[in-house]
Amino acid sequence: MIKDGRNRYHPMAMLHDYIHLIKTTVPLFFLAFVLKADSSAWLFTYGRYILPAAVICSALYIPVKWYTKTYEILPSAIVVTSKLFTTSTKTIPYSKIQQVKRKTTWVHRLLGMTSLTLETSAEGRDGTVRFDVLRPSEASSMEQRVQQEKPDFERKTFLEKQDQENAQEDNHEQEEVERAEAATPVDQKEPRVIGDEKTIHFKPTKKDLIKASLASLSFLAVIPFAGSRLSDAEDLHFEKQVDGLFESLLSSIGMIVGALTVLTVIGVGLGFVRTYKKYGKYELASTFERIFITKGAWEQDYLSVRKDHVQAVLIEQSLMKRLLGFASLKLVIAGENEGEEEVTSVYPFFPVKRAYSLVHEVLPDYRVLGNMDRLPRRAFYLRLLRPSWIWVAVTAGLYFFKPGSFFIDLPWWAFSSALFVIIVLSRIQGYVHSRFQMDDTFIQFQAGGFTKTLYLSKRSKVIELEVSRNYVQQKSGLASVKLINRANPVRETIMNDVPDEFAERLKVWYTHQTLKRKAS
Amino acid sequence: MEVIMEPPLRQLSKDSIKVWIWKEVIENIIGTAVLIVLFILDRIFSWPVWAGWILYGLVGLTVMGMIWAVFKVKLLQKQWRYGINEDFLYVKSGALKEEYKVIPMTKVQSVSTNEGPLLKKYNLSSVEVSTIGRMHVIPALPKAEAQKLRQQIALYSNVEEEDA
């Protein structure tokens, strides 16, 4: 203990660091001085000087680091200070610590010590405090300190989890005793039905699946094949004789049509099989607190998600889906198992209206708002006039390198113009698609060019808000807004060129929750 | 309905300009040194012509950067605002691109104060606020104010999140 409650780490931490240093560098030494001792490659020639120098520096740095790093246990937070070139003091409130990990390796056991890691939800080193070596008694008291701050329900889930763990086989390694305390209960394999019925919301019919297989476009895979057949046929018949041109043309057209029909049938068939394989026995169901998604005809894929872990809902429509009247429903989920994808697809081929109605059915907390506001007209001109860096880069590239024909023989500027048209079309659609709305609790954005995406979230699920205005936007009274949701780790949703008034309303909307909470 | 939110009011220390100028000077000295070395290498190894163009281009950019930096540091200091209450941290910054962030206290994971050599020289401190997956920096406050802010944020953020 130094003064006013600040502590240095246990001196054994230096030993830990030295062992770590030796562990990591011995293989390198072996490589440089034994295996490649004769090598005159520059890597090894210089490496033989740099490696010992680096090790000496690290070895000297370890005690300095130990001396300059201190921690302080406050009633409600832990403070870590390091004073070297840069003085930095970090405070982590106990309530933010999500995981307390204790790991005792054989070295620790030999010394009668243990290690403790305190993790918050923030990613990386920044949100983690590590005690590489400390006395088990200290570790226990620190763990207790952290847990005392936790409200009761979390302790309960913690105890529950422990009971479940005990009930399962105890497959903890003897060497490494790791104890994790997590805020989320373990994901059960079997759906837990607590008194309430499981409602089935959606099961695709045969007709749905056929339409879906058309929309999935997998039948188009036959086109390159058909194309090559087609050009073969042309060569064959046109060059043969000019006399029977009409006749051969007819026969070749007949052949082409025949071949195409056969291939299309095969393609559609294959597409159907693929779609059936994936969504054949698809089922979307839910109970009061969970959503269940079953996929796959032969191999079943089962997913269960807690409703309160849903951070946002996305309804996505690609160009093809818009033409066929389909929409894809996706959920942004956080707080489920580690390694979970940040966006989970519920089902990609709902009829549009069904997708919208399902949101409220599956997640009664959510509601799709009608009458969304559109962007002002000035936003349209601004978007059209905004330079497209992709187009500039591609055009410059085409101009300088003038690559040879890409299957089709056209001058370079034709591709540049085509790209230009596509970009303009995408921007026009982007303007038309852009809509926004919010009410007491919900926020709803729609955006996107060729692919249109509707984003739905609740105020309580938005973890940060950002409003930005670049120079042109400032002059034209527009703003870009960014909402951050938890995902894996976070997901940003950006809505560009909304009017200033909306941005201001959004700021008030976002901060309003506290006024309400205080009032109640 | 016309509603406008009060902008946050607290400013950075005036000395932040000096810190940033120092930083610019040091960075430019290093940058210029690198450029000189590159020019020497260009001479010695007679690099192709386009390498020379790129080098001249870099010189142009460096000079423009230096001129812009003079305006930039003043604008940065002038435009920076932050505000704090029990529930939110507000940060507003930038002139050409204006940014306004609202960070709920409940989502703050940790908060730290940092003083590098330059900040130490003027008795300043920066405050870094970590949330899940993001980091927000208030670059230069008087040291005492920064310490107080760190304690305040730690205190306000020390509540359980209602929603996971």
Side-chain angles (χ1 to χ4, degrees):
Chain A
M1 173 111 44
I2 324 163
K3 51 172 184 175
D4 47 271
R6 279 192 277 135
N7 299 285
R8 288 216 171 82
Y9 289 80
H10 197 279
M12 286 296 181
M14 287 190 278
L15 183 70
H16 175 273
D17 285 350
Y18 280 119
I19 291 173
H20 182 74
L21 181 67
I22 292 167
K23 258 195 204 162
T24 47
T25 50
V26 158
L28 290 173
F29 270 99
F30 187 70
L31 188 72
F33 291 97
V34 183
L35 282 182
K36 296 278 183 183
D38 306 325
S39 168
S40 59
W42 65 269
L43 184 68
F44 296 106
T45 325
Y46 293 112
R48 279 191 279 271
Y49 293 99
I50 292 166
L51 195 58
V55 170
I56 289 167
C57 286
S58 311
L60 290 175
Y61 174 65
I62 288 169
V64 175
K65 188 178 88 179
W66 175 80
Y67 185 77
T68 54
K69 236 181 143 179
T70 56
Y71 68 89
E72 190 179 352
I73 306 286
L74 295 179
S76 63
I78 182 163
V79 180
V80 183
T81 311
S82 124
K83 287 185 176 167
L84 201 51
F85 300 108
T86 303
T87 305
S88 99
T89 313
K90 182 160 72 181
T91 308
I92 299 183
Y94 293 138
S95 61
K96 298 295 151 179
I97 294 167
Q98 298 292 313
Q99 297 246 339
V100 182
K101 279 186 188 160
R102 222 159 128 173
K103 196 169 170 182
T104 313
T105 63
W106 62 270
V107 181
H108 285 117
R109 285 163 67 114
L110 220 62
L111 299 168
M113 296 283 169
T114 185
S115 78
L116 190 73
T117 312
L118 309 176
E119 284 175 14
T120 64
S121 303
E123 290 270 294
R125 294 185 67 138
D126 214 59
T128 312
V129 183
R130 284 176 63 104
F131 295 89
D132 285 326
V133 181
L134 79 173
R135 288 202 186 84
S137 58
E138 283 177 296
S140 302
S141 78
M142 219 176 288
E143 225 183 315
Q144 249 176 10
R145 254 265 162 70
V146 171
Q147 254 140 54
Q148 262 167 14
E149 278 292 312
K150 300 265 167 192
D152 282 337
F153 78 93
E154 265 190 287
R155 301 202 85 187
K156 226 174 85 194
T157 47
F158 170 52
L159 292 174
E160 261 174 28
K161 196 192 163 190
Q162 275 208 317
D163 286 346
Q164 275 158 7
E165 266 178 352
N166 291 341
Q168 284 166 4
E169 292 171 317
D170 195 8
N171 51 5
H172 283 301
E173 279 184 50
Q174 286 296 313
E175 201 100 301
E176 298 183 355
V177 187
E178 213 172 286
R179 202 136 55 96
E181 174 255 327
T184 52
V186 277
D187 199 34
Q188 280 112 337
K189 281 278 179 286
E190 290 299 312
R192 189 176 48 175
V193 185
I194 329 160
D196 64 334
E197 287 297 304
K198 204 163 136 180
T199 331
I200 294 169
H201 300 284
F202 182 78
K203 255 184 168 173
T205 59
K206 276 267 152 54
K207 208 179 121 201
D208 288 334
L209 283 175
I210 291 168
K211 273 179 86 181
S213 65
L214 286 175
S216 74
L217 286 181
S218 44
F219 69 91
L220 287 181
V222 296
I223 280 185
F225 182 61
S228 70
R229 292 303 314 222
L230 197 124
S231 59
D232 282 356
E234 272 176 11
D235 288 348
L236 204 72
H237 290 275
F238 285 123
E239 282 168 25
K240 237 181 187 172
Q241 70 245 54
V242 191
D243 290 347
L245 184 70
F246 187 64
E247 211 175 305
S248 66
L249 198 66
L250 261 187
S251 77
S252 76
I253 284 174
M255 210 179 125
I256 291 161
V257 168
L260 271 183
T261 316
V262 170
L263 284 169
T264 310
V265 167
I266 293 171
V268 171
L270 282 176
F272 179 74
V273 171
R274 269 190 55 181
T275 313
Y276 185 77
K277 189 183 160 214
K278 219 168 165 194
Y279 298 108
K281 295 213 175 93
Y282 180 90
E283 187 188 284
L284 173 64
S286 77
T287 60
F288 181 66
E289 62 171 15
R290 282 183 168 269
I291 301 168
F292 306 99
I293 301 165
T294 318
K295 286 178 191 171
W298 300 295
E299 284 173 18
Q300 298 244 304
D301 205 355
Y302 181 80
L303 181 76
S304 122
V305 176
R306 266 181 62 162
K307 285 184 185 178
D308 58 347
H309 286 174
V310 174
Q311 309 292 317
V313 179
L314 305 174
I315 297 175
E316 233 175 59
Q317 282 187 284
S318 62
L319 182 65
M320 191 67 189
K321 281 182 191 164
R322 271 192 281 146
L323 291 175
L324 290 166
F326 283 124
S328 169
L329 184 64
K330 292 177 175 177
L331 302 175
V332 178
I333 295 161
E336 293 283 314
N337 292 344
E338 286 277 316
E340 189 85 37
E341 280 174 57
E342 81 166 24
V343 178
T344 303
S345 169
V346 175
Y347 183 69
F349 308 111
F350 285 123
V352 183
K353 278 192 181 148
R354 191 79 192 101
Y356 282 77
S357 62
L358 267 174
V359 174
H360 182 64
E361 260 179 52
V362 178
L363 296 157
D365 284 3
Y366 280 78
R367 200 165 60 231
V368 185
L369 306 172
N371 301 325
M372 293 173 79
D373 291 335
R374 304 183 59 157
L375 295 186
R377 190 120 276 234
R378 56 187 189 277
F380 176 66
Y381 299 120
L382 195 104
R383 282 183 172 202
L384 276 188
L385 291 173
R386 194 170 284 164
S388 162
W389 302 115
I390 295 176
W391 182 77
V392 170
V394 169
T395 304
L398 283 168
Y399 176 75
F400 281 115
F401 300 110
K402 292 197 180 65
S405 66
F406 319 79
F407 310 109
I408 318 158
D409 210 11
L410 279 173
W412 66 271
W413 50 263
F415 292 101
S416 164
S417 323
L419 183 66
F420 185 80
V421 171
I422 290 172
I423 288 170
V424 169
L425 279 177
S426 163
R427 285 183 177 188
I428 293 172
Q429 291 183 81
Y431 171 75
V432 174
H433 289 158
S434 289
R435 308 274 169 98
F436 50 90
Q437 191 56 276
M438 60 190 171
D439 75 352
D440 267 2
T441 40
F442 298 100
I443 181 91
Q444 195 168 306
F445 285 161
Q446 182 178 278
F450 284 100
T451 296
K452 173 171 106 174
T453 305
L454 179 77
Y455 157 96
L456 294 163
S457 192
K458 289 196 289 189
R459 178 165 46 201
S460 60
K461 297 294 185 190
V462 175
I463 64 167
E464 252 168 67
L465 168 71
E466 205 176 304
V467 175
S468 70
R469 304 189 309 149
N470 64 30
Y471 189 72
V472 184
Q473 285 177 324
Q474 285 173 40
K475 293 290 163 221
S476 43
L478 299 171
S480 292
V481 298
K482 191 195 271 181
L483 301 183
I484 318 262
N485 285 105
R486 267 203 84 165
N488 203 0
V490 291
R491 185 187 161 86
E492 298 177 346
T493 305
I494 299 170
M495 185 78 196
N496 284 318
D497 308 320
V498 295
D500 264 346
E501 305 88 71
F502 177 77
E504 285 304 320
R505 257 172 62 210
L506 189 67
K507 285 182 200 167
V508 174
W509 173 82
Y510 190 54
T511 48
H512 192 58
Q513 57 189 356
T514 43
L515 299 176
K516 271 196 165 170
R517 202 170 63 204
K518 273 182 194 146
S520 63
Chain B
M1 182 178 63
E2 185 77 7
V3 270
I4 285 178
M5 199 144 96
E6 291 274 318
L9 289 173
R10 288 155 80 173
Q11 282 189 283
L12 298 185
S13 159
K14 276 263 193 287
D15 285 336
S16 58
I17 296 180
K18 293 179 198 161
V19 173
W20 286 325
I21 288 176
W22 270 111
K23 218 171 143 189
E24 288 288 339
V25 168
I26 293 166
E27 278 172 9
N28 278 306
I29 288 172
I30 295 170
T32 313
V34 170
L35 273 177
I36 290 171
V37 170
L38 284 173
F39 268 109
I40 294 170
L41 288 174
D42 181 36
R43 271 289 162 79
I44 298 174
F45 296 104
S46 54
W47 282 347
V49 190
W50 56 263
W53 294 351
I54 291 174
L55 285 181
Y56 283 117
L58 286 176
V59 170
L61 284 178
T62 311
V63 172
M64 265 156 45
M66 283 182 199
I67 296 166
W68 170 231
V70 177
F71 299 98
K72 187 178 76 181
V73 291
K74 282 192 182 149
L75 274 176
L76 260 179
Q77 198 275 336
K78 202 179 148 210
Q79 296 293 324
W80 249 97
R81 293 285 187 286
Y82 78 94
I84 177 179
N85 63 29
E86 264 176 58
D87 303 292
F88 294 97
L89 170 67
Y90 305 88
V91 182
K92 182 171 169 282
S93 66
L96 288 186
K97 189 175 186 213
E98 183 194 287
E99 279 183 348
Y100 188 113
K101 296 175 186 168
V102 185
I103 302 136
M105 283 295 167
T106 51
K107 311 296 180 195
V108 172
Q109 300 295 313
S110 71
V111 51
S112 63
T113 45
N114 299 284
E115 299 109 47
L118 277 178
L119 287 170
K120 262 183 203 162
K121 188 173 148 70
Y122 293 99
N123 208 20
L124 298 176
S125 188
S126 73
V127 178
E128 286 177 7
V129 178
S130 297
T131 58
I132 304 159
R134 280 162 71 93
M135 162 104 85
H136 307 279
V137 183
I138 302 169
L141 294 178
K143 205 170 161 181
E145 193 184 333
Q147 302 286 358
K148 203 179 150 213
L149 184 65
R150 173 169 58 80
Q151 281 156 15
Q152 242 172 355
I153 295 177
L155 185 73
Y156 292 154
S157 67
N158 195 10
V159 281
E160 213 52 47
E161 288 178 40
E162 316 133 38
D163 261 323

